[in-house]
Amino acid sequence: MTSPVWIRGLNYAYGEGELRRPVLRDVALEIHAGEIVLLTGPSGSGKTTLLTLVGALRAMQEGECQVLGQQLAGATEDQRVLLRRRIGFIFQQHNLLGFLTAQQNVAMSLELDPATTERERLERAGAMLAAVGLGDRLDATPARLSGGQRQRVAVARALAGNPGLILADEPTAALDRVSGQEVVHLLRDLARSRGVPILLVTHDPRILDIADRIIEMEDGRILPGSPLD
């Protein structure tokens, strides 16, 4: 179980009693270092729920899920918080703070590191923004950036803390074709250069070419033909 993500027998349901609705059923998945795995499937198939469990955003119910060496079955909230700090998250809605500049938004992701000063955080944020092609927009607020540029800031924020894993949920859904492809190819290149695995949920057929593997889900299960390794 040395892979960054290792899952076996994962089950998850919403509600209780007669209202209990299974969402994930006997899911098994393994993601290797530097690998890009896309999760596809119809709405309601369990993709986002699986992503949030891997990201330690919700507690496990049944099965095993080891992420970056942390077993999430039985993990405490404190353990899950510590794990979340080692994961970079990118969502459809970039969730940037409108009153902060691009550089300040990225630097915020580094504030939990007590070993860095504010100046060091801003310098690292500036370097990361330059890496995503926004070195000339450090002082721009989100309102002054295009949708594609805002998502680039979100990519920079996710990668600034040198995470061990990137989780992305529909990162291109709100972007046009050109901006969407630019963002995911940038994410791929930056993550691969660092050996960071990516688990990305998408309905977007335009970005399938970035994947090392495509995992299809339906009714809470990984479909046959979607390999573990």
Side-chain angles (χ1 to χ4, degrees), residues 4-229:
V5 176
W6 189 93
I7 300 170
R8 291 294 185 277
L10 191 153
N11 296 290
Y12 194 86
Y14 293 122
E16 297 180 358
E18 294 182 357
L19 298 178
R20 188 177 186 275
R21 180 173 65 89
V23 178
L24 295 174
R25 308 165 191 265
D26 196 28
V27 170
L29 177 63
E30 190 167 352
I31 301 174
H32 305 288
E35 188 177 29
I36 300 174
V37 176
L38 300 193
L39 276 179
T40 67
S43 297
S45 59
K47 303 184 301 298
T48 294
T49 299
L50 178 57
L51 196 78
T52 58
L53 286 166
V54 172
L57 295 171
R58 64 176 79 239
M60 290 273 294
Q61 292 177 347
E62 298 178 13
E64 293 185 77
C65 181
Q66 183 168 294
V67 178
L68 302 179
Q70 171 67 57
Q71 177 58 251
L72 289 174
T76 66
E77 175 61 17
D78 287 344
Q79 289 173 323
R80 291 193 290 120
V81 167
L82 290 175
L83 178 59
R84 289 198 292 268
R85 294 177 183 174
R86 301 169 59 201
I87 298 173
F89 295 93
I90 305 170
F91 299 101
Q92 177 180 342
Q93 301 301 325
H94 44 73
N95 296 326
L96 303 180
L97 294 177
F99 58 90
L100 297 181
T101 66
Q103 187 176 26
Q104 290 168 334
N105 266 287
V106 175
M108 275 192 64
S109 67
L110 303 170
E111 289 185 356
L112 294 174
D113 182 356
T116 61
T117 65
E118 182 178 2
R119 179 178 178 179
E120 289 171 335
R121 291 192 292 269
L122 288 171
E123 288 177 350
R124 284 171 62 180
M128 198 68 244
L129 285 167
V132 302
L134 292 177
D136 60 344
R137 305 306 307 274
L138 302 187
D139 296 326
T141 58
R144 294 167 51 203
L145 299 172
S146 69
Q149 289 173 328
R150 288 193 291 270
Q151 199 63 300
R152 283 173 179 263
V153 176
V155 170
R157 180 179 59 190
L159 289 167
N162 295 318
L165 172 67
I166 296 288
L167 300 178
D169 192 2
E170 301 284 5
T172 64
L175 304 178
D176 61 35
R177 180 181 62 84
V178 173
S179 295
Q181 288 189 327
E182 286 179 349
V183 165
V184 296
H185 283 93
L186 174 69
L187 178 61
R188 175 199 62 190
D189 294 344
L190 289 172
R192 279 188 172 158
S193 70
R194 292 163 170 77
V196 179
I198 299 174
L199 178 60
L200 189 155
V201 167
T202 187
H203 286 102
D204 190 347
R206 304 170 300 177
I207 67 171
L208 300 183
D209 63 322
I210 75 161
D212 294 305
R213 282 188 293 148
I214 298 173
I215 305 294
E216 294 186 64
M217 294 191 68
E218 186 174 304
D219 295 329
R221 300 182 187 274
I222 290 178
L223 294 180
S226 296
L228 296 178
D229 304 304

